[in-house]
Amino acid sequence: MPAVLRRPILTAGIVALTLGAAAACGSSSSGGDGSTVSPAASTAGGVDSAAAALVPASVKSKGSLLVAADASYAPNEYLDTDGTTVIGMDADLAQAIGKELGLDVTVKNATFDAIIPGLANGRFDLGMSSFTDTKDREKTVNFVTYFSAGTSFFTQADGGPAITSLDSLCGLKLAVESGTTQEADGKAQSKKCTAAGKAKVTVLSFNDQSQANLALKSGRADVSAADSPPAAYQVTQSHGAFKLAAFEYGQAPYGIAVPKQDGTLDEAVLAAVKDLIANGTYGDIMSKYNLTSGAITDPVINGAIS
């Protein structure tokens, strides 16, 4: 997520806070390794020969891409009603990129903070999981930018604290997903609070956003944070249990994470994204998930602003 980072939504275990109607986006099929193949984008394009020519031989020989996503962050990435298939904006975009490059795509659910290490050690080919492109992350992977988002806060609808600035977090318990920029920003803000003589921010970190949501719903946490699109979506899906704070900060680009060791794969992905923007497929995907406000027109490699 942005100068902050990423994600939320609720799992099938919390019916009142789950994906409900949004999980009805398309059909699914299973991958041979137990992972899942996401449904294709709403507008299918053909192979872009120029983009496909940039695919490294090591990837081309496999004929496929294994894409990692933490499926707890609707509408960007989440699980279909079968509890296995990864769907959402990133999954659709991954499929569309694969078609541009002439490659099959499997989208595998993975813990968020394990994705970048998995790219570095060759376990995954791409990471598409609402990653905020940051200078620090660019030390390990390259990013192809494709979206822009900020960070939003949400609380219980009844009696939740007013969040009007980062200073509002002083003395509160903040539920976040482990490895996200929201986690890092919460810890940094806690130091600012104590330096100013105020109470610290107690940062509660969880393996996925669904667990953070549960902490908020149960009262264990006072507030949670996620990228603005998933935060707004999960508040809508909470059936009145959560409310969105008016305060938002940290607009920054999302990036498709590409292993540095994979030669020109980042250039191939960039060319594919540019073609998807030009042929309208990208816009169709953003419209499908009501994410047009974060759409971009100028993707680049490594566009971090901080």
Side-chain angles (χ1 to χ4, degrees):
M1 303 63 191
V4 176
L5 163 60
R6 31 148 308 113
R7 20 311 252 5
I9 206 56
L10 326 134
T11 60
I14 324 172
V15 176
L17 302 177
T18 48
L19 307 178
C25 302
S27 59
S28 62
S29 58
S30 297
D33 64 350
S35 58
T36 55
V37 180
S38 302
S42 55
T43 301
V47 175
D48 180 332
S49 58
L54 294 169
V55 176
S58 59
V59 176
K60 191 173 296 185
S61 63
K62 294 189 304 179
S64 63
L65 292 170
L66 180 58
V67 181
D70 181 349
S72 67
Y73 221 50
N76 298 1
E77 48 269 332
Y78 56 106
L79 295 178
D80 203 348
T81 50
D82 62 5
T84 304
T85 304
V86 182
I87 59 177
M89 177 268 284
D90 274 330
D92 278 14
L93 187 59
Q95 290 290 342
I97 289 170
K99 289 183 178 180
E100 290 280 318
L101 301 179
L103 301 170
D104 292 331
V105 170
T106 297
V107 182
K108 184 176 180 63
N109 190 15
T111 302
F112 182 71
D113 60 6
I115 295 176
I116 288 181
L119 292 166
N121 65 27
R123 181 182 178 192
F124 307 121
D125 297 307
L126 298 177
M128 294 184 66
S129 198
S130 305
F131 280 104
T132 299
D133 181 357
T134 67
K135 294 293 186 184
D136 186 59
R137 288 176 176 152
E138 286 177 3
K139 295 175 183 177
T140 306
V141 296
N142 289 334
F143 284 104
V144 175
T145 62
Y146 66 102
F147 194 76
S148 180
T151 288
S152 293
F153 295 93
F154 51 101
T155 66
Q156 287 193 11
D158 295 327
I163 307 297
T164 58
S165 67
L166 290 176
D167 284 341
S168 300
L169 299 176
C170 298
L172 299 182
K173 296 178 181 178
L174 172 67
V176 295
E177 184 174 357
S178 179
T180 64
T181 15
Q182 278 90 7
E183 180 187 47
D185 287 352
K187 291 179 178 179
Q189 181 58 38
S190 184
K191 293 179 180 179
K192 292 179 181 178
C193 291
T194 55
K198 301 178 182 179
K200 69 177 183 178
V201 181
T202 300
V203 179
L204 305 176
S205 301
F206 298 91
N207 287 336
D208 59 40
Q209 185 62 39
S210 298
Q211 294 178 43
N213 297 337
L214 276 173
L216 178 61
K217 184 173 183 286
S218 67
R220 181 180 172 189
D222 303 302
V223 59
S224 187
D227 291 356
S228 45
Y233 181 85
Q234 75 179 1
V235 168
T236 300
Q237 293 297 306
S238 73
H239 304 291
F242 295 157
K243 64 182 178 184
L244 198 64
F247 174 67
E248 179 183 325
Y249 78 103
Q251 200 77 13
Y254 279 179
I256 299 166
V258 186
K260 286 185 178 293
Q261 67 267 27
D262 277 357
T264 56
L265 183 58
D266 54 354
E267 296 178 25
V269 172
L270 176 63
V273 173
K274 286 183 175 180
D275 192 54
L276 292 171
I277 291 172
N279 69 28
T281 302
Y282 172 87
D284 288 344
I285 294 171
M286 296 303 149
S287 295
K288 176 179 176 180
Y289 294 100
N290 296 314
L291 294 171
T292 54
S293 63
I296 66 171
T297 58
D298 54 347
V300 297
I301 293 175
N302 292 341
I305 58 178
S306 65

